[in-house]
Each structure stands twice: as C-alpha cells, then as structure tokens.
C-alpha cells in the first residue's frame, strides 16, 4: 500500500473544510509561493464573532487536519486570549481571527502580492 503525500495545497484545503465545519467567516487562502519574503506556501485566514468560536474553529482545524491528513501543527500560538490563533503547519499557516483583530492586522493587505482566493461559507472558491 502506498502512502499519499500530503501537499501544502491539500493541507490548506483540509483546513478550509475544518473552518467551514465550525462556521468560520470570510475565508481566504493566500498563495504565498510567489510573494516576496514569504515563509510558507499558503496562509489560510478566517474570522469569528467571539473568542469562544475562534477557539472552536482552531480546535476543529487541529483535529480535522490530523484525522484527514495525519499532520499536526508544529506550533500553535494565541490560545490564551483567543483573539488571533495561529496554527503553524510549516508550509501552511492558518490564522483564526476575532473579527476586530483581523481588521486591525490586515494580513491580506500586508501580503497583497500573494494570489488570493476567497471562499464561500461552504468552502467553495468564489470566482
């Protein structure tokens, strides 16, 4: 039996599915592979209305990605206050924001040279 190699794109899409499971909002995938100074292949960004939902989304990402890909985050940051939780999978970094924190940090503007894909609430790319 051959083992399937999990690509960074597959990992990002799995994280997006997990976000949808917990009703994350305004989901964006930034393809960082051509961006100057990028440290990973993809950023996945979403937001939630309250800290409890931010935590629930982050927990779902961690569990769902592990169950479906076998991957575990190298590092998780931000669980203490649940304003902005980062799950670092090395080639994919997932950012789960409280809506006010996302507006303040504006990652999409900071990485404006990355190719952006917006997703609907059901995880489908928006053309």
């Amino acid at each position: 039996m051959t083992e399937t190699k999990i690509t960074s794109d597959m990992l990002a899409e799995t994280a997006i599915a997990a976000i949808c499971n917990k009703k994350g909002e305004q989901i964006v995938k930034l393809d960082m592979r051509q961006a100057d100074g990028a440290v990973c292949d993809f950023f996945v960004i979403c937001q939630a209305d309250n800290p409890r939902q931010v935590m629930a989304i982050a927990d779902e990402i961690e569990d769902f990605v592990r169950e479906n890909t076998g991957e575990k985050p190298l590092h998780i940051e931000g669980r203490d206050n649940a304003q902005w939780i980062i799950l670092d999978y090395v080639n994919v970094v997932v950012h789960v924001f409280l809506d006010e924190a996302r507006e303040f940090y504006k990652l999409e503007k900071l990485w404006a040279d990355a190719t952006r894909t917006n997703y609907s609430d059901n995880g489908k790319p928006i053309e």
Side-chain angles (χ1 to χ4, degrees):
M1 181 174 185
T2 61
E3 189 174 312
T4 303
K5 170 127 173 63
I6 303 300
T7 66
S8 56
D9 194 43
M10 291 166 61
L11 184 61
E13 293 296 324
T14 304
I16 289 167
I19 291 165
C20 293
N21 289 346
K22 292 296 179 181
K23 307 212 181 311
E25 300 171 347
Q26 296 188 27
I27 305 164
V28 173
K29 179 173 75 174
L30 298 179
D31 186 338
M32 309 294 284
R33 293 175 290 190
Q34 303 300 317
D36 289 337
V39 297
C40 64
D41 291 346
F42 295 98
F43 273 179
V44 175
I45 304 168
C46 71
Q47 68 186 51
D49 294 331
N50 59 67
R52 181 177 291 168
Q53 188 182 13
V54 169
M55 186 69 77
I57 292 168
D59 289 345
E60 178 70 5
I61 293 165
E62 187 177 6
D63 294 343
F64 192 80
V65 168
R66 185 179 305 121
E67 289 169 10
N68 289 279
T69 69
E71 299 290 326
K72 296 183 210 174
L74 178 66
H75 186 70
I76 299 173
E77 190 66 47
R79 285 193 191 268
D80 292 340
N81 63 15
Q83 304 288 310
W84 176 10
I85 297 177
I86 300 169
L87 295 98
D88 181 357
Y89 289 92
V90 182
N91 290 326
V92 177
V93 179
V94 184
H95 302 265
V96 184
F97 281 102
L98 192 61
D99 47 8
E100 296 91 9
R102 184 175 185 177
E103 177 61 29
F104 180 80
Y105 288 104
K106 300 181 191 303
L107 286 187
E108 293 95 330
K109 287 188 180 188
L110 179 64
W111 293 102
D113 56 339
T115 303
R116 177 183 177 141
T117 304
N118 295 309
Y119 288 79
S120 66
D121 292 343
N122 65 2
K124 303 291 183 208
I126 299 171
E127 300 297 327

